[in-house]
Amino acid sequence: MKQRTLAILKPDCVRKNLIGKVVKKMEEAGFKIVGMKMVKLDSNTAGEFYAVHKERPFFYDLVSFMSSAPCVPIVLEKENAIEDFRKLIGATDPAQAEDGTIRKLYADSKEQNIVHGSDAPETAEYEIKYFFSSKELVENYG
Ligand code: CDP
Ligand code: MG
Protein backbone atom coordinates (compact mmCIF):
# COMPACT_ATOMS: atom_id res chain seq x y z
CA MET A 1 0.00 0.00 0.00
CA LYS A 2 1.18 3.52 -0.77
CA GLN A 3 2.47 5.43 2.20
CA ARG A 4 3.54 9.02 2.83
CA THR A 5 6.46 10.38 4.78
CA LEU A 6 7.75 13.84 5.63
CA ALA A 7 11.20 14.88 4.47
CA ILE A 8 12.76 18.22 5.36
CA LEU A 9 15.71 19.62 3.48
CA LYS A 10 17.44 21.26 6.42
CA PRO A 11 19.16 24.68 6.47
CA ASP A 12 22.57 23.18 5.62
CA CYS A 13 21.10 21.61 2.47
CA VAL A 14 19.60 24.93 1.37
CA ARG A 15 22.75 26.90 2.25
CA LYS A 16 25.01 24.52 0.35
CA ASN A 17 22.80 24.70 -2.80
CA LEU A 18 22.05 20.98 -2.59
CA ILE A 19 18.25 21.12 -2.95
CA GLY A 20 18.35 19.84 -6.53
CA LYS A 21 20.80 17.03 -5.83
CA VAL A 22 18.83 15.73 -2.85
CA VAL A 23 15.51 15.95 -4.68
CA LYS A 24 17.12 14.04 -7.57
CA LYS A 25 18.05 11.21 -5.17
CA MET A 26 14.44 11.12 -3.95
CA GLU A 27 13.04 10.93 -7.48
CA GLU A 28 15.58 8.35 -8.62
CA ALA A 29 14.64 6.16 -5.65
CA GLY A 30 11.01 6.10 -6.82
CA PHE A 31 9.44 8.63 -4.46
CA LYS A 32 6.70 10.89 -5.84
CA ILE A 33 6.64 14.44 -4.48
CA VAL A 34 3.05 15.16 -3.39
CA GLY A 35 3.78 18.40 -1.49
CA MET A 36 6.67 20.83 -1.30
CA LYS A 37 7.30 24.34 0.05
CA MET A 38 10.00 26.57 1.46
CA VAL A 39 9.68 27.89 5.02
CA LYS A 40 11.88 29.81 7.42
CA LEU A 41 11.17 28.35 10.84
CA ASP A 42 11.37 30.53 13.92
CA SER A 43 12.84 28.99 17.06
CA ASN A 44 9.39 28.33 18.61
CA THR A 45 8.26 26.38 15.57
CA ALA A 46 11.52 24.44 15.28
CA GLY A 47 11.34 23.64 19.00
CA GLU A 48 7.75 22.46 18.71
CA PHE A 49 8.56 20.25 15.72
CA TYR A 50 11.45 18.62 17.63
CA ALA A 51 9.67 18.65 21.03
CA VAL A 52 10.38 14.92 21.44
CA HIS A 53 14.05 15.89 21.91
CA LYS A 54 13.49 18.78 24.34
CA GLU A 55 15.33 17.10 27.22
CA ARG A 56 18.33 16.14 25.10
CA PRO A 57 21.63 18.04 25.45
CA PHE A 58 21.65 18.93 21.74
CA PHE A 59 18.14 20.47 21.76
CA TYR A 60 19.16 24.13 21.94
CA ASP A 61 21.72 23.76 19.12
CA LEU A 62 19.24 21.77 17.04
CA VAL A 63 16.61 24.51 17.35
CA SER A 64 19.18 27.22 16.51
CA PHE A 65 20.32 25.26 13.48
CA MET A 66 16.82 24.51 12.19
CA SER A 67 15.86 28.19 12.45
CA SER A 68 19.13 29.50 10.96
CA ALA A 69 18.06 29.50 7.27
CA PRO A 70 15.09 28.30 5.19
CA CYS A 71 14.03 24.65 5.11
CA VAL A 72 12.17 22.73 2.41
CA PRO A 73 9.53 20.35 3.80
CA ILE A 74 8.52 17.73 1.22
CA VAL A 75 5.83 15.05 1.37
CA LEU A 76 6.95 11.89 -0.40
CA GLU A 77 4.75 9.01 -1.52
CA LYS A 78 5.71 5.44 -2.37
CA GLU A 79 5.12 1.88 -1.23
CA ASN A 80 6.80 1.53 2.19
CA ALA A 81 7.85 5.19 2.03
CA ILE A 82 8.73 5.68 5.70
CA GLU A 83 11.20 2.83 6.01
CA ASP A 84 12.58 3.20 2.49
CA PHE A 85 13.24 6.90 2.98
CA ARG A 86 15.05 6.28 6.27
CA LYS A 87 17.25 3.83 4.35
CA LEU A 88 17.89 6.38 1.60
CA ILE A 89 18.95 9.09 4.07
CA GLY A 90 21.22 6.83 6.17
CA ALA A 91 22.26 7.01 9.83
CA THR A 92 21.95 10.26 11.82
CA ASP A 93 25.75 10.54 11.90
CA PRO A 94 27.06 10.64 8.30
CA ALA A 95 30.24 8.88 9.47
CA GLN A 96 28.05 5.86 10.32
CA ALA A 97 25.85 6.12 7.22
CA GLU A 98 26.08 3.58 4.40
CA ASP A 99 27.70 4.49 1.09
CA GLY A 100 25.29 6.06 -1.38
CA THR A 101 22.95 7.44 1.29
CA ILE A 102 22.07 11.13 1.23
CA ARG A 103 23.74 11.84 4.56
CA LYS A 104 26.91 9.93 3.59
CA LEU A 105 27.11 11.85 0.32
CA TYR A 106 26.28 15.34 1.53
CA ALA A 107 26.27 15.78 5.34
CA ASP A 108 29.09 17.29 7.35
CA SER A 109 28.12 16.15 10.84
CA LYS A 110 25.49 14.40 12.93
CA GLU A 111 24.16 17.81 13.94
CA GLN A 112 23.94 19.23 10.42
CA ASN A 113 22.89 16.22 8.43
CA ILE A 114 21.06 17.66 5.40
CA VAL A 115 17.70 15.94 5.72
CA HIS A 116 14.94 14.83 8.08
CA GLY A 117 12.78 11.75 7.56
CA SER A 118 9.78 10.60 9.64
CA ASP A 119 10.51 7.47 11.66
CA ALA A 120 7.07 5.79 12.01
CA PRO A 121 3.49 6.00 10.65
CA GLU A 122 2.24 8.06 13.63
CA THR A 123 5.10 10.56 13.42
CA ALA A 124 4.74 10.80 9.62
CA GLU A 125 1.06 11.68 9.95
CA TYR A 126 1.73 14.27 12.64
CA GLU A 127 4.72 15.78 10.82
CA ILE A 128 2.95 16.01 7.43
CA LYS A 129 0.03 17.85 9.06
CA TYR A 130 2.50 20.08 10.88
CA PHE A 131 3.60 21.60 7.57
CA PHE A 132 0.82 20.93 5.04
CA SER A 133 -2.94 21.36 4.81
CA SER A 134 -4.80 18.77 2.73
CA LYS A 135 -5.22 21.38 -0.06
CA GLU A 136 -1.44 21.57 -0.40
CA LEU A 137 -1.07 17.84 -1.08
CA VAL A 138 -1.64 16.27 -4.49
CA GLU A 139 -4.07 13.35 -4.55
CA ASN A 140 -3.07 11.95 -7.90
CA TYR A 141 -0.76 12.85 -10.73
CA GLY A 142 -3.36 12.24 -13.48
O1 CDP B 1 17.19 12.71 12.27
P1 CDP B 1 17.26 11.36 12.95
O2 CDP B 1 15.90 10.73 13.18
O3 CDP B 1 18.22 10.44 12.24
O4 CDP B 1 17.93 11.60 14.38
P2 CDP B 1 17.29 11.96 15.81
O5 CDP B 1 17.98 11.14 16.83
O6 CDP B 1 15.79 11.90 15.75
O7 CDP B 1 17.74 13.47 16.03
C1 CDP B 1 17.07 14.53 15.37
C2 CDP B 1 18.12 15.50 14.87
O8 CDP B 1 18.79 16.09 15.98
C3 CDP B 1 19.25 14.88 14.03
O9 CDP B 1 18.90 14.64 12.70
C4 CDP B 1 20.34 15.94 14.18
O10 CDP B 1 20.09 17.06 13.33
C5 CDP B 1 20.14 16.37 15.63
N1 CDP B 1 21.05 15.65 16.55
C6 CDP B 1 22.13 16.33 17.07
O11 CDP B 1 22.33 17.50 16.77
N2 CDP B 1 23.00 15.67 17.92
C7 CDP B 1 22.79 14.40 18.26
N3 CDP B 1 23.65 13.78 19.11
C8 CDP B 1 21.71 13.70 17.75
C9 CDP B 1 20.83 14.35 16.89
MG1 MG C 1 14.34 11.25 14.44
Side-chain angles (χ1 to χ4, degrees), residues 49-64:
F49 181 78
Y50 277 116
V52 65
H53 294 308
K54 65 177 183 296
E55 307 301 334
R56 309 283 287 275
F58 58 80
F59 182 70
Y60 178 83
D61 288 343
L62 174 61
V63 167
S64 305

Side-chain angles (χ1 to χ4, degrees), residues 42-105:
D42 61 25
S43 50
N44 287 334
T45 311
E48 189 179 45
F49 181 78
Y50 277 116
V52 65
H53 294 308
K54 65 177 183 296
E55 307 301 334
R56 309 283 287 275
F58 58 80
F59 182 70
Y60 178 83
D61 288 343
L62 174 61
V63 167
S64 305
F65 165 56
M66 289 301 292
S67 54
S68 66
C71 285
V72 182
I74 301 175
V75 180
L76 296 172
E77 188 175 86
K78 183 184 172 300
E79 301 281 320
N80 204 34
I82 297 169
E83 198 183 322
D84 286 0
F85 190 62
R86 292 292 304 198
K87 274 192 204 133
L88 182 67
I89 70 182
T92 308
D93 183 348
Q96 314 286 325
E98 281 184 42
D99 284 349
T101 60
I102 292 170
R103 284 168 167 170
K104 180 70 164 202
L105 284 166

